Amino acid sequence: MKRYRNGEIWDFEYEMPLADGASGVVLGLDGGTTTTVCICMPMNPFSNSQIESLPILARAVAGCSNHNSVGETAARETLEQVMADALSKCGSKRSSVRAVCLAVSGVNHPTDQQRILNWLRDIFPSHVRLYVQNDAVAALASGTMGKLHGCVLIAGTGTIAYGFTEDGKEARAAGAGPVLGDWGSGYGIAAQALTAVIKAYDGRGSSTTLTSSILQKLGLSSPEEIIGWTYADPSWARIAALVPVVVSCAEAGDEVANKILLDSVQQLASSVKAVVERLGLCGEDGKGTFPLVMVGGVLEANKRWDIGKEVINCISKHFPGVQSIRPQVEPAVGAAWLAWNSFMKEFQ
Amino acid sequence: MKRYRNGEIWDFEYEMPLADGASGVVLGLDGGTTTTVCICMPMNPFSNSQIESLPILARAVAGCSNHNSVGETAARETLEQVMADALSKCGSKRSSVRAVCLAVSGVNHPTDQQRILNWLRDIFPSHVRLYVQNDAVAALASGTMGKLHGCVLIAGTGTIAYGFTEDGKEARAAGAGPVLGDWGSGYGIAAQALTAVIKAYDGRGSSTTLTSSILQKLGLSSPEEIIGWTYADPSWARIAALVPVVVSCAEAGDEVANKILLDSVQQLASSVKAVVERLGLCGEDGKGTFPLVMVGGVLEANKRWDIGKEVINCISKHFPGVQSIRPQVEPAVGAAWLAWNSFMKEFQ
């Protein structure tokens, strides 16, 4: 166990009693592109069916921990600090930790996973079980009570589909960012809407009520000003915040907005279909049941034009056994459940 | 005439003879997103038909001067320095300048134009005629001997179509950057190709030879690594540099690459069509002749799959009077010709 180089993060441990009689705790982390959440739960030997009744001992929140966005050093500091905060809040220390599941965005390759595992290994005593996953996996677990089985579709600012079979095969689709065509995401929908405004203005596309609605929302007076607006700060979340405007225009009957949402439904459904087919989640006859966990602002029921519902309708046509789930807990709880489950499996 | 605040840029003028007997010079600037070029030409009273025989007195080069990319202060410093360099090289000073045409990317709105004009006004004596344009206009002028008439299509890293009628009406299409759908550009072509590789890999799209060709070009071993590669440096030019790979794959018969290039042709042609129609460049019967100046790496004749030629074929079907021109001089020369022409018109 190394002490952190600035020598402060773990200082609270020295002020705690030496004896630590409890059966220990697990940590679940959900590290997204805007916030990182760490949940601490007790390692009580409940049976699997009771996992949802495990109490949350502590919850800590920090900023972005995606190493692609903020760099390796800042990401590591953020993750270490948020774990220390959670343990400190519930009066536990690293020696009480039995398992950690770190589900963080930007884990796209086994080398990413291994790098983060090596570094976690330096922080915790050697008996602690460590699991590193893409943040999508925590979202899946939040809908399946910590079981890695089925598919999750996330559509917020970005989008990804991720799935697991019961025997541990995994597959993903999308989740590669807007440069690489995540067009069903909130960013994708909003960028298509902005493009439609520019095309209507310069004569390449049909006129649309998106023009007046988006200009009003952004406080701009002409579509030309949108160019400067996007250059000024091309952050994906800032652009994705325009999704409700697109939904409103579609609900009011705008054809261009409607087509953008229909395209987005197709894109999102195609990600799920790709994962389900590669993993054979639907069984050999294509009618097997499997859970589809739906997460993210784009999939939440918006008034009449419900993107999530349309995606499920589209997927049901191909896979009648799909069982959609909208989780009642946050992904960090899913990560903690996952840590708990993985630990129990290893020591059964 | 202000001296520059760091008091160095214009110092060379103090070492020059007081008398300045010549009939003066014009400056033409092409300020792009990677380089800025300034051309100095004599203001000799040639007739218009001889404009292409005007000698180039000096040529100076600097970095990016797009205020959207590098900020206002850096853009201004770059532009001022490159003008001083050009004048100094040919032994002229600001008092000899008759006209300046500054054609710079990022001029998307009359307010951009006015801001730059105000600032140029501070640098030069009040008798100097000043013209500020989008950099696309210099490219047009480079193909029309400095006349603002017809349409220019630029397709390099980005793309824009820009046109003028003889009585001074202007229109543009695209040129809004990748967020806003410039999909016919080099960036657009390459981003679609990278997307096709990701989609083939995760099961959303057909397999394609783009996968092996692009991975080899980038020195990567798996499509998953492309995600990290784009995050590492999402500069448009770095991505657009993959266009030759896409062209090679299409030439070798890859369907996915072929479709990407065909889509790009449609996108580029639709930009030209939008401008020609809005300005009525093709006359009332749609058969009138007008120049179409073609500029940029994407439109240059690549081996067999010639994007520029396909765009012209596509446009000829709608506007049989289109006369395509591939300029023999760089856009900065077009800007200098434009300064010369505009000055002569005002003082005829």
Side-chain angles (χ1 to χ4, degrees), chain A residues 108-109 172-174 179-181 183 187 194-195 199 202-204 224-225 227 231 236 267 270-271 274 278, chain B residues 68 108-109 172-174 179-181 183 187 194-195 199 202-204 224-225 227 231 236 267 270-271 274 278:
Chain A
N108 298 313
H109 195 265
R172 61 177 272 180
V179 173
L180 302 174
W183 291 115
Y187 172 88
L194 290 168
T195 297
K199 288 196 168 181
D202 69 24
R204 287 178 293 159
E224 283 165 334
E225 295 174 10
I227 302 174
Y231 272 94
W236 303 347
Q267 296 279 339
S270 90
S271 295
R278 274 164 66 200
Chain B
N68 283 325
N108 299 311
H109 196 265
R172 61 177 272 183
V179 174
L180 301 174
W183 291 114
Y187 173 88
L194 290 169
T195 297
K199 288 196 168 184
D202 69 23
R204 287 178 293 160
E224 284 165 335
E225 294 175 10
I227 303 175
Y231 272 94
W236 304 346
Q267 295 279 339
S270 89
S271 295
R278 273 165 66 201

Side-chain angles (χ1 to χ4, degrees), chain B residues 8-221:
Chain B
E8 284 173 10
I9 288 185
W10 298 104
D11 277 358
F12 70 90
E13 292 186 337
Y14 296 99
E15 291 155 27
M16 289 172 61
L18 274 176
D20 189 8
S23 56
V25 296
V26 296
L27 292 178
L29 285 98
D30 170 40
T33 44
T34 50
T35 55
T36 301
V37 178
C38 181
I39 292 287
C40 185
M41 279 186 177
M43 189 62 245
N44 296 342
F46 279 94
S47 84
N48 230 357
S49 64
Q50 293 173 296
I51 198 168
E52 58 272 35
S53 57
L54 285 171
I56 291 173
L57 301 177
R59 179 179 189 274
V61 181
C64 175
S65 57
N66 180 327
H67 64 93
N68 283 325
S69 305
V70 297
E72 184 91 355
T73 311
R76 284 164 64 151
E77 275 187 33
T78 299
L79 290 168
E80 189 161 1
Q81 185 66 59
V82 80
M83 291 190 291
D85 287 350
L87 287 172
S88 155
K89 275 187 180 180
C90 62
S92 297
K93 46 178 147 179
R94 283 175 287 177
S95 56
S96 329
V97 176
R98 299 286 169 269
V100 179
C101 174
L102 173 51
V104 66
S105 67
V107 173
N108 299 311
H109 196 265
T111 56
D112 297 325
Q113 208 165 15
Q114 194 54 53
R115 210 172 52 241
I116 297 171
L117 269 176
N118 290 343
W119 157 74
L120 274 182
R121 182 48 62 220
D122 279 349
I123 298 175
F124 289 98
S126 58
H127 69 269
V128 180
R129 310 307 300 171
L130 302 173
Y131 312 98
V132 173
Q133 298 282 6
N134 186 287
D135 61 339
V137 179
L140 174 63
S142 74
T144 60
M145 309 300 163
K147 270 185 74 181
L148 287 189
H149 170 239
C151 184
V152 63
L153 174 65
I154 306 179
T157 296
T159 182
I160 189 171
Y162 215 112
F164 282 86
T165 60
E166 296 199 75
D167 57 354
K169 282 203 296 275
E170 60 187 280
R172 61 177 272 183
V179 174
L180 301 174
D182 286 355
W183 291 114
S185 64
Y187 173 88
I189 290 168
Q192 299 279 14
L194 290 169
T195 297
V197 172
I198 297 289
K199 288 196 168 184
Y201 179 73
D202 69 23
R204 287 178 293 160
S206 315
S207 72
T208 163
T209 60
L210 286 166
T211 302
S212 56
S213 302
I214 287 180
L215 290 178
Q216 194 189 353
K217 174 84 179 176
L218 301 181
L220 303 177
S221 56

